[in-house]
Amino acid sequence: MTQKGNHPETLEWDLIRAFLAVVDTGSVTAAAEILGSSQPTLSRQIAALEQRVGSPLFERVGRGLNLTGLGEALVEPARQMQMAANSLSLAALGRNSETAGTVRLSASEMTATYVLPSILAELRRTHPEIQIEVAVTNRVENLLEREADIAVRHTQPGQGSLIARRIGAFRIGAFAHHDYLSRVGEPIEFAQPHRYDWLGLDRSDLLLRGFQRVGMKVDREFFAIRCDDQVALWQMVLSGMGIGFGTLFIAGQAPHLRQVLTEIEIPAMPVWVTAHRELKGSARIRTVFDALVQGLARVVDAR
């Protein structure tokens, strides 16, 4: 690092945060998107950090970036600084008695699209001073690193520093548009699956494993339509393209859908509301957490 007298020059947290975002994503463009910044701004921050330490931290390889030797050496100290900054932020927010401000919420595509809007609309009516950011993602947001303040998850979190409340479970079923059923005939015969158009996931093996649990070994080519965007896939079910899978609650919002294969037992999808333990002391986090618990409790099965 460059020196001022006998003391190393202080590195601002914003520069370290930019550095770690590029490390984690492998590109300035992706890092800027995650941080809600612009590519030129992030590039300037990386350049400023490299000037401070006196040497390049990344080298371009093809379309990506690799760490230099110095960059590798800085990752662990930067992680420790990140943890300290997160702890400081959590401690301060956890003692905030003000409800005004922003809460960042993470939820899956289907939950964010078809379940949360009515809950958040009610929250906005009762607490207009709270602003909500919704991160729509099927991956598990890292609450410990403050990627979200609260997450609606479908698996139980394992970190002891998190508060997790199980609300219940969404029952899952197979559904098809009545126009599709009028073309292929009813009832749907599960013993002859290749007579039908199945709508499934592309890269994910979630449905493949589900079919295996009921004694059917199928591969991805079994599905006539494949898409990992679950909202887009559900719209295809609504358009009458074939048989797809969804929750009974969401399917209940579409009067032209009919549940099929009701004799097949499909495991329910649990619903958890999760937040960092420190955040429960924050008035606005607690308000949003409680609103989610109450709203979800009205639409899930209590089991």
Side-chain angles (χ1 to χ4, degrees), residues 103-107 132-133 135 141 143 146-153 163 272-276 279 284-290 292:
V103 176
R104 185 170 178 82
L105 169 65
S106 169
I132 303 293
E133 294 178 350
E141 292 285 276
L143 297 174
R146 293 301 307 282
E147 293 181 21
D149 299 314
I150 303 174
V152 179
R153 292 179 172 172
I163 293 173
W272 296 81
V273 178
T274 307
H276 197 284
L279 295 181
R284 69 172 175 269
I285 300 294
R286 187 171 60 250
T287 297
V288 176
F289 189 97
D290 292 343
L292 288 169

Side-chain angles (χ1 to χ4, degrees), residues 160-179:
S161 57
L162 299 181
I163 293 173
R165 186 177 302 183
R166 191 181 192 276
I167 311 303
F170 283 120
R171 286 191 291 158
I172 306 295
F175 297 91
H177 194 283
H178 65 70
D179 287 346

Side-chain angles (χ1 to χ4, degrees), residues 107-114 136-139 154 170 172 199-207 209 225-238 244-247 250 269:
S108 67
E109 294 170 348
M110 294 293 284
T111 298
T113 303
Y114 297 106
V136 181
T137 174
N138 288 327
R139 71 184 183 88
H154 302 297
F170 283 120
I172 306 295
L199 280 59
L201 302 172
D202 182 18
R203 288 169 295 181
S204 171
D205 67 348
L206 177 64
L207 289 179
R209 289 186 280 112
I225 302 292
R226 299 184 289 273
C227 179
D228 282 328
D229 185 314
Q230 294 184 18
V231 172
L233 193 65
W234 186 245
Q235 288 299 315
M236 296 176 195
V237 177
L238 296 175
F245 298 87
T247 70
I250 294 175
M269 182 172 65

Side-chain angles (χ1 to χ4, degrees), residues 203-218:
R203 288 169 295 181
S204 171
D205 67 348
L206 177 64
L207 289 179
L208 298 180
R209 289 186 280 112
F211 272 86
Q212 290 173 2
R213 279 196 297 269
V214 296
M216 285 183 57
K217 188 173 182 179
V218 300

Side-chain angles (χ1 to χ4, degrees), residues 30-48:
E33 183 177 350
I34 286 177
L35 294 178
S37 181
S38 67
Q39 184 175 345
T41 297
L42 203 66
S43 295
R44 286 194 296 271
Q45 289 176 318
I46 296 299

Side-chain angles (χ1 to χ4, degrees), residues 73-260:
L74 288 184
V75 170
E76 183 56 33
R79 295 284 187 211
Q80 293 175 8
M81 188 174 179
Q82 181 184 49
M83 292 175 62
N86 288 337
S87 296
L88 180 64
S89 175
L90 287 168
L93 182 56
R95 287 159 180 77
N96 190 340
S97 60
E98 296 291 329
T99 56
T102 299
V103 176
R104 185 170 178 82
L105 169 65
S106 169
S108 67
E109 294 170 348
M110 294 293 284
T111 298
T113 303
Y114 297 106
V115 179
L116 291 186
S118 61
I119 297 173
L120 297 182
E122 181 178 347
L123 175 64
R124 286 289 300 160
R125 285 193 294 269
T126 56
H127 293 280
E129 75 281 7
I130 299 179
Q131 301 169 6
I132 303 293
E133 294 178 350
V134 181
V136 181
T137 174
N138 288 327
R139 71 184 183 88
V140 176
E141 292 285 276
N142 193 334
L143 297 174
L144 300 180
E145 294 182 6
R146 293 301 307 282
E147 293 181 21
D149 299 314
I150 303 174
V152 179
R153 292 179 172 172
H154 302 297
T155 57
Q156 182 176 8
Q159 300 98 322
S161 57
L162 299 181
I163 293 173
R165 186 177 302 183
R166 191 181 192 276
I167 311 303
F170 283 120
R171 286 191 291 158
I172 306 295
F175 297 91
H177 194 283
H178 65 70
D179 287 346
Y180 178 79
L181 294 175
S182 67
R183 294 198 304 270
V184 300
E186 296 186 77
I188 298 298
E189 299 180 28
F190 196 57
Q192 302 184 54
H194 293 285
R195 289 180 51 194
Y196 309 107
D197 299 296
W198 298 89
L199 280 59
L201 302 172
D202 182 18
R203 288 169 295 181
S204 171
D205 67 348
L206 177 64
L207 289 179
L208 298 180
R209 289 186 280 112
F211 272 86
Q212 290 173 2
R213 279 196 297 269
V214 296
M216 285 183 57
K217 188 173 182 179
V218 300
D219 56 23
R220 62 191 298 275
E221 282 71 28
F222 172 78
F223 298 102
I225 302 292
R226 299 184 289 273
C227 179
D228 282 328
D229 185 314
Q230 294 184 18
V231 172
L233 193 65
W234 186 245
Q235 288 299 315
M236 296 176 195
V237 177
L238 296 175
S239 298
M241 295 178 65
I243 302 171
F245 298 87
T247 70
L248 270 62
F249 171 75
I250 294 175
Q253 302 173 29
H256 298 301
L257 289 187
R258 289 213 291 269
Q259 187 176 1
V260 299

